[in-house]
Amino acid sequence: MKRWTRSVLDIAVIIGLVIAAKTAIAEPYYVPSGSMEPTLQIGDELLATKYPYGYSSASLPVFVTLPESQRILGALPHRGDVVVFRWPGDRSQIWVKRVVGLPGDRIEMKDGRLWINDQQVELKPDGVGQNESEDGSREPVERFIETLPGGRAHTIFKHATVGQFDNTPEITVPQGHVFVMGDNRDNSADSRIPLDMGGVGLLPVSDLVGRVDALVGSWDLAAKRQPVWEWPAALRLSRFFTAVK
């Protein structure tokens, strides 16, 4: 009986340590959609580092969903950080986007170009990329390098046509919130879109889970439609253990 009790306690301690590590240090998540292409691809497994922004109920492992709470040891993201967060519309869902606006910033979209505090964000053509959909299909799309105020540069996808959310009224980011966008600008439900329309709206800092620093693996999900013996070939080995910018 004592041996059985000790085994149960050992298992409980191990589970507790795993939960504590996932809460306090880092937790892996996989990318199910193309909203952050080309930075993140469908099937990437990313690592969200949790301590940079402090802790709240959002920091708990993904299978634990509690109401919103205040952060302790809290800190704001830097403009340009790729962040994982609980979607305010359903906190059991984990989303990933890039922070482009901080409290006090005035954000506006004009003809598909991002403006921050009355300044048009620098955008340079960078050839053509391949936009992948969830069904595995691909289409060519223009690629650009966007440089945010402060000098953080990243790659985005942008179709030539002007879409529904390429022109938005100026909005001032309130305290305790950030403005997030997907790098795949025509395929991202983000802060340009109100929460009641399926977007993010202005994201409360309390919903932040962590900062995306690296990928730990990647597998092309379209390979699920292929014979199982072809699945290993879908591993994107070049993306394993790479930094996310």
Side-chain angles (χ1 to χ4, degrees):
M1 185 67 177
K2 289 183 178 179
R3 181 178 297 177
W4 180 85
T5 302
R6 184 171 180 176
S7 297
V8 171
L9 288 174
D10 288 345
I11 293 171
V13 169
I14 292 171
I15 293 173
L17 290 173
V18 170
I19 292 175
K22 283 190 170 186
T23 300
I25 303 174
E27 187 171 6
Y29 303 91
Y30 96 96
V31 179
S33 74
S35 69
M36 278 294 293
E37 291 177 348
T39 305
L40 301 177
Q41 297 182 15
I42 299 172
D44 281 350
E45 186 172 10
L46 54 84
L47 192 66
T49 307
K50 295 191 174 182
Y51 54 82
Y53 309 139
Y55 304 98
S56 71
S57 60
S59 307
L60 292 168
V62 63
F63 57 83
V64 181
T65 303
L66 294 178
E68 183 180 346
S69 71
Q70 296 298 313
R71 301 194 81 80
I72 58 172
L73 304 176
L76 283 173
H78 294 289
R79 190 184 287 110
D81 282 0
V82 177
V83 298
V84 169
F85 57 92
R86 303 263 182 173
W87 181 48
D90 178 356
R91 300 185 78 253
S92 68
Q93 294 187 30
I94 302 294
W95 289 23
V96 57
K97 304 290 179 189
R98 187 181 299 275
V99 174
V100 300
L102 300 174
D105 283 343
R106 289 174 286 112
I107 308 293
E108 185 177 6
M109 295 295 295
K110 297 180 182 179
D111 295 328
R113 297 291 298 272
L114 175 63
W115 289 67
I116 301 177
N117 300 327
D118 295 325
Q119 297 295 317
Q120 182 174 267
V121 172
E122 180 182 344
L123 202 65
K124 292 183 178 179
D126 189 44
V128 176
Q130 291 292 316
N131 179 49
E132 182 181 8
S133 299
E134 285 76 2
D135 62 4
S137 62
R138 299 174 183 269
E139 63 173 333
V141 62
E142 291 186 76
R143 188 173 60 216
F144 297 87
I145 295 176
E146 183 177 75
T147 304
L148 297 169
R152 292 278 294 270
H154 56 276
T155 308
I156 69 168
F157 280 166
K158 183 74 186 76
H159 292 278
T161 56
V162 176
Q164 180 181 2
F165 299 103
D166 281 341
N167 287 286
T168 63
E170 182 181 88
I171 186 168
T172 300
V173 182
Q175 292 299 312
H177 294 74
V178 291
F179 195 102
V180 297
M181 295 182 71
D183 290 348
N184 193 348
R185 290 295 162 80
D186 295 312
N187 185 29
S188 176
D190 48 41
S191 289
R192 294 171 293 175
I193 304 172
L195 187 61
D196 59 7
M197 295 178 63
V200 177
L202 292 165
L203 177 66
V205 172
S206 58
D207 283 330
L208 289 172
V209 172
R211 183 182 67 205
V212 179
D213 291 323
L215 300 179
V216 295
S218 184
W219 187 70
D220 187 350
L221 297 184
K224 291 188 295 184
R225 298 172 180 82
Q226 305 300 322
V228 66
W229 55 84
E230 295 186 11
W231 288 6
L235 290 171
R236 303 184 185 111
L237 297 178
S238 63
R239 297 183 66 79
F240 277 53
F241 305 107
T242 56
V244 172
K245 298 180 180 180

